[in-house]
Amino acid sequence: MTSGSALESQTNLKSSIQDSNKITNHNDPVIQAKDLKKVYLVGKQPVFALNGVSFEIERGEFCAIVGTSGSGKSTLLNLLAGLEPPSKGNIIINQKSIIGLSENKLVNFRRDHVGFIFQSFNLIPNMSAWENVALPLIFRGTPVAERKKIAIKMLDQLGLKTHIYHKPNELSGGQQQRVGIARALVVNPAIVFADEPTGNLDSVTSSEIMLLMQQISKDNNQTLIMVTHDDYLAQYADRIFRISDGKIIGIEKGSQNEQ
Ligand code: ADP
Ligand code: MG
């Protein structure tokens, strides 16, 4: 290589590092919630599900939203995922507001950036583990052979390589949820939302799933937002947001997290 082309490639490298820093700047919040309010009308009676919620979440953070039943946790998650609009306030994801986007744009936003993990696993009963995991890839137009390869790799990472052909009813609760997690992660989303992901699991399995989620968000630099009523499980998160009557009443660090 001549010194001229070495210099040129060095310059290219430098500018590509600068570009990638622009994209993955750790100080840029991936999610900003600004004074979010959500009012439901039940008959003529207003119900204030969220009453002025503001926070910022950084890329790669694992955050738990903790509160009792009815405190507004699921409402907050639905708003952040663009599933429901707020009554007031703004939600900025990757420096762009998602408020006022058309339904089409919101569908694309969720398909390209968001993964969901559900309390009830939401697996398709007559599909095998790998077929369930591969489902989101169909919407991306990935060919079947490649879908299968990616799904099996994902299941392998979650310790389920020997169970790829099992149907959901042939798996334990913890295994089903690992399939659910694999399906949420298969498109490598920047943000993963989990609403009471261990609500149907025993305490030992729940802790295992928490450790897995902790590891995944670190390994892939994915932002993980988990809603739970369980204070113990919340301790696995980097940060815990306490919510009560639709307001954040405290933010603290998780104690089951070495950082
Ligand atoms: P959590 O997930 O913490 O249990 P939710 O976010 O589901 O709480 O609900 C917060 C409050 O908003 C509750 O008082 C609930 O009854 C009310 N709420 C939630 N969704 C609706 C809805 N679609 N219509 C009317 N009220 C609702
Ligand atoms: Mg809920």
Side-chain angles (χ1 to χ4, degrees):
M1 192 187 273
T2 66
S3 63
S5 68
L7 184 68
E8 193 183 13
S9 76
Q10 218 173 28
T11 315
N12 286 344
L13 182 67
K14 201 172 154 202
S15 69
S16 81
I17 290 172
Q18 277 167 350
D19 282 349
S20 76
N21 279 345
K22 258 185 237 156
I23 299 161
T24 58
N25 188 340
H26 285 256
N27 296 322
D28 279 346
V30 68
I31 299 175
Q32 291 171 275
K34 296 194 169 173
D35 201 22
L36 289 180
K37 293 186 179 160
K38 182 72 182 180
V39 187
Y40 293 108
L41 276 181
V42 181
K44 285 185 178 163
Q45 201 65 35
V47 175
F48 294 88
L50 290 180
N51 222 334
V53 167
S54 301
F55 54 75
E56 291 189 348
I57 295 176
E58 277 184 26
R59 190 172 301 281
E61 257 198 298
F62 175 11
C63 289
I65 298 166
V66 190
T68 54
S69 177
S71 55
K73 305 182 297 292
S74 296
T75 305
L76 180 55
L77 217 57
N78 290 344
L79 262 54
L80 295 177
L83 291 168
E84 281 183 79
S87 308
K88 282 214 172 87
N90 200 358
I91 298 163
I92 298 163
I93 310 265
N94 279 337
Q95 317 302 312
K96 279 194 209 123
S97 175
I98 61 163
I99 306 302
L101 291 184
S102 67
E103 194 48 45
N104 252 348
K105 287 212 163 130
L106 283 173
V107 167
N108 290 344
F109 155 72
R110 285 193 293 270
R111 186 194 60 200
D112 296 338
H113 301 286
V114 174
F116 289 95
I117 302 168
F118 303 93
Q119 172 172 356
S120 49
F121 319 136
N122 287 11
L123 301 177
I124 313 258
N126 57 358
M127 284 188 173
S128 67
W130 86 259
E131 287 169 326
N132 267 285
V133 173
L135 214 50
L137 297 171
I138 294 180
F139 304 114
R140 294 201 154 189
T142 312
V144 64
E146 205 183 326
R147 288 206 295 273
K148 186 168 183 182
K149 210 170 110 194
I150 298 171
I152 291 173
K153 193 171 159 213
M154 207 66 234
L155 284 165
D156 188 19
Q157 279 173 18
L158 288 158
L160 283 175
K161 195 169 188 182
T162 52
H163 290 69
I164 55 174
Y165 293 111
H166 285 58
K167 301 261 167 70
N169 68 357
E170 296 161 347
L171 297 167
S172 71
Q175 288 170 334
Q176 287 182 57
Q177 191 55 305
R178 280 189 277 157
V179 174
I181 294 173
R183 182 187 52 191
L185 299 180
V186 77
V187 294
N188 195 21
I191 307 169
V192 180
F193 292 109
D195 195 346
E196 304 273 6
T198 61
N200 288 337
L201 301 174
D202 63 80
S203 63
V204 174
T205 312
S206 295
S207 295
E208 281 169 16
I209 295 283
M210 284 304 111
L211 286 171
L212 207 56
M213 302 209 349
Q214 214 177 43
Q215 187 199 329
I216 287 163
S217 89
K218 294 280 164 298
D219 289 354
N220 304 342
N221 200 26
Q222 272 162 329
T223 307
L224 189 54
I225 302 180
M226 174 183 77
V227 151
T228 179
H229 65 276
D230 188 326
D231 199 61
Y232 176 73
L233 295 178
Q235 300 301 327
Y236 286 91
D238 297 317
R239 277 199 299 164
I240 303 167
F241 294 29
R242 292 197 184 277
I243 186 168
S244 175
D245 289 332
K247 282 196 166 136
I248 303 283
I249 53 164
I251 299 179
E252 65 209 65
K253 290 202 162 185
S255 65
Q256 297 286 329
N257 200 299
E258 69 275 19
Q259 287 197 325

